Structure formats: C-alpha cells, structure tokens
Amino acid sequence: MIVTFTANPSLDRTVALPGPLERGEVQRAVSVSQESGGKGVNVSRALVASGLQTIAVLPGGDSDPVLAGLQHDGVPFAALPIDEPLRTNVALTEPGGVTTKINEPGPVMDADQQEALIALLLERARGASWVVLAGSLPPGFPADFYATVTRRLRKAGGTGADGGAPLIAVDSSGGPLVAAVSGTSLDGMSGKPDLLKPNAEELAELAAAAGFATASTADELEADPEAAAAAAAAVVRSGVGAVLATLGSKGAVLVTADGAWLATHPPVTAVSTVGAGDSSLAGYLLAHGQGAAPADCLRQAVAHGAAAASLPGSTVPAVHQTTPDAVTITALRKD
C-alpha cells in the first residue's frame, strides 16, 4: 500500500490553445479538461491506473468537486472535512507542450485542523510501504510541516509494511522542500525523507541549502547531468536517503549513497507536461515495490514521465502505456 498526502489539493483545469499564448489578446481554446489534482493525488491516480493499492489523504468537504472527481475515477481517499472549498488551478498548454500554470493559494486551515490532518495520515499510514508527502502547503502552514510529519510517522513506528516505519518520499518546492533537507532530528527522529523528487530548479535550491559549494542554475543542471548528480549527492550527504531529480526532456538523475545514474528516453511529442513529474515518482514507486534495483526504478520513473508528457491535460499513464525498454541508463560520478 502506498499512501499519498496532499495538504493543498486542487481541481486542475487544463485549457489547450491552438497556438502560442498571446498576452493581452482573446484566444479560443481547442479543448478544456479537468481532473482532481495536487501532486500526491496525481501520484495516487497514476498508481491506480497501474493496478496498485493506494489511498490519497487530503482535506475537503463532502461536496467538493475534487472529492467527486476522485470518486468518479475510482481513486480511494480519506478526507478531513473542511468548510472552505479547495482551490482551482489552471494550466494553459500550447502546441509542443509549453505549459503556463496559474495556481490558487488554497484554503486556510487552523492549527487544530492541521493536527487533525496529521492524525488522519498517521491512521491511514498503518501498514503502508511508502508515504508520499507532496505539493505546496496551504496558507498558514509552517514551512517545516513535512519535516514534522516525517518525524511523527517515524515516531509512530511499527506502522510500515514490514513492521517498521514506512519509507517517506517528499515532492514539494520552496520553503517546505528546503525544510525537509535542513530539518534537525527531534526525540531521535529525523525529519529528512528517504526520497526527494525535485526538478532542476528545486535541485539547485536544495543543493545551495545543503551547502554545495558550486552553485548552478536549473538550465545548467539540465544541460549537465554530471553537475546534477553532484548537486544531488550533496543533498544525499546531508542525510536524505536518495534524490530522484527530473530534468525535463533531458531525463532524470538518481543519486543514492551507493551510486548515481542518468536515464534518458527518446524524444516524445509533448502534449502537456502537467503531472509528468508526479507520474515519474509513481513509476519509481511502482518499480521499487517490485523489488527493482535503483537504476531500474529510475528507468521506470523516466518511462512514466515521458508517457505522461505525451498525454493531454493532467492525464496520467498506466504502466502498459510506458516504454521502459526505450530508456537508456548511464552510470555517473556523483562527486
């Protein structure tokens, strides 16, 4: 069982344009679609599409369209009832896959609701092999919220599939992501995850927070996999178990304490990049659950990401729609 936790879920509307976005002009959409979304929700949707057991933990009122969408799609979920509606995010996609996103901030939840959300996750995480903490945080949540949740999951102990704590993956950005790397241990429990899933921009930010001496921009990391591996290695040395860094059309890099690998996929016709990173994480978890070696977990991650980019809107691929045999794996130096 893989449990996903999305503190700030959304109704994701994707508007496909017939040509490049023209600021200040009126443009007619080719199509409009909507899905229940948020990073953790997208991971659960991708896992369900491939027949894996998962449950999405999130806030939301009974009549909220996000929960209705999950019911329609057959995605199991556990929701903390709140009065405020969940946010709506809009993605504008141009031919060739260029995507512009407009994300709302999300509902405000007080300290009691935040604690209730953590309690719901702890309850649902019993017996889980992985817990995925994903996405932005709603207004008013502390930046170290994911680090706190990680420590709480480990302190609960004995809740994982093997009798220990579940493995924990974090996919976020900004303050919450940096806090997941820089957080200190409390009561002997580390707030650092077993797996981080940044993109190139987030990896550059993480490496700086981890004290990596050579600063690089996102474009530089995407263009230089060795530099990306070195940056990810700095994060691993800070105490994170592994880093799966997605580099857009350049593939992805995986760094663990034991090695570093680059995975690339032949070019695909990009339709929408919305949810591609979330699908990559789902592919990694799928392979990990099958006992695959790290390089093969990376292989499936890149195959999932490439398949997602070739699908419209925030559509997620099933495993039979992916082409892992087309992925090339290259061992890298990590320092």
Side-chain angles (χ1 to χ4, degrees), residues 2-313:
I2 296 173
V3 177
T4 67
F5 179 77
T6 309
N8 205 14
S10 58
L11 185 67
D12 288 348
R13 291 178 58 84
T14 302
V15 180
L17 300 176
L21 176 65
E22 298 177 13
R23 294 183 61 191
E25 301 295 331
V26 174
Q27 291 177 264
R28 298 188 183 280
V30 173
S31 64
V32 178
S33 61
Q34 67 180 34
E35 299 275 358
S36 298
K39 284 184 172 294
V41 167
N42 289 339
V43 172
S44 280
R45 287 173 52 228
L47 293 172
V48 166
S50 295
L52 272 72
Q53 284 192 317
T54 183
I55 186 167
V57 177
L58 69 165
D62 290 342
S63 60
D64 197 281
V66 173
L67 301 191
L70 291 177
Q71 290 178 324
H72 178 271
D73 294 340
V75 177
F77 66 89
L80 175 73
I82 61 173
D83 294 330
E84 287 193 61
L86 298 174
R87 61 184 180 149
T88 297
N89 294 338
V90 178
L92 306 175
T93 62
E94 305 171 36
V98 176
T99 303
T100 302
K101 295 193 69 178
I102 303 170
N103 291 350
E104 295 182 3
V108 175
M109 285 179 272
D110 61 27
D112 289 341
Q113 289 173 309
Q114 293 175 29
E115 177 58 33
L117 197 55
I118 295 175
L120 179 60
L121 174 63
L122 293 175
E123 174 189 346
R124 294 296 181 163
R126 295 193 183 101
S129 55
W130 280 91
V131 173
V132 178
L133 311 177
S136 64
L137 296 174
F141 275 55
D144 65 348
F145 183 78
Y146 285 146
T148 298
V149 172
T150 296
R151 287 190 291 265
R152 292 279 295 275
L153 284 164
R154 288 175 176 152
K155 187 175 181 179
T159 59
D162 60 357
L167 296 172
I168 299 167
V170 171
D171 182 3
S172 189
S173 59
L177 185 60
V178 171
V181 171
S182 57
T184 57
S185 297
L186 294 175
D187 299 326
M189 299 295 167
S190 171
K192 299 182 180 183
D194 300 286
L195 177 68
L196 274 174
K197 209 297 294 169
N199 58 26
E201 182 177 353
E202 293 155 355
L203 177 59
E205 187 177 9
L206 281 173
F212 186 47
T214 305
S216 298
T217 67
D219 289 343
E220 289 170 341
L221 293 179
E222 287 192 359
D224 186 352
E226 293 278 2
V235 178
V236 171
R237 287 194 298 271
S238 76
V240 172
V243 174
L244 170 64
T246 51
L247 306 176
S249 62
K250 304 297 184 180
V253 164
L254 174 68
V255 176
T256 72
D258 299 320
W261 303 267
L262 166 69
T264 57
H265 191 285
V268 299
T269 300
V271 177
S272 171
T273 59
V274 178
D278 307 328
S279 292
S280 293
L281 179 53
Y284 180 98
L285 297 176
L286 185 156
H288 187 276
Q290 295 172 339
D296 288 322
C297 292
L298 174 62
R299 181 189 303 277
Q300 189 59 55
V302 168
H304 255 76
S310 68
L311 296 172

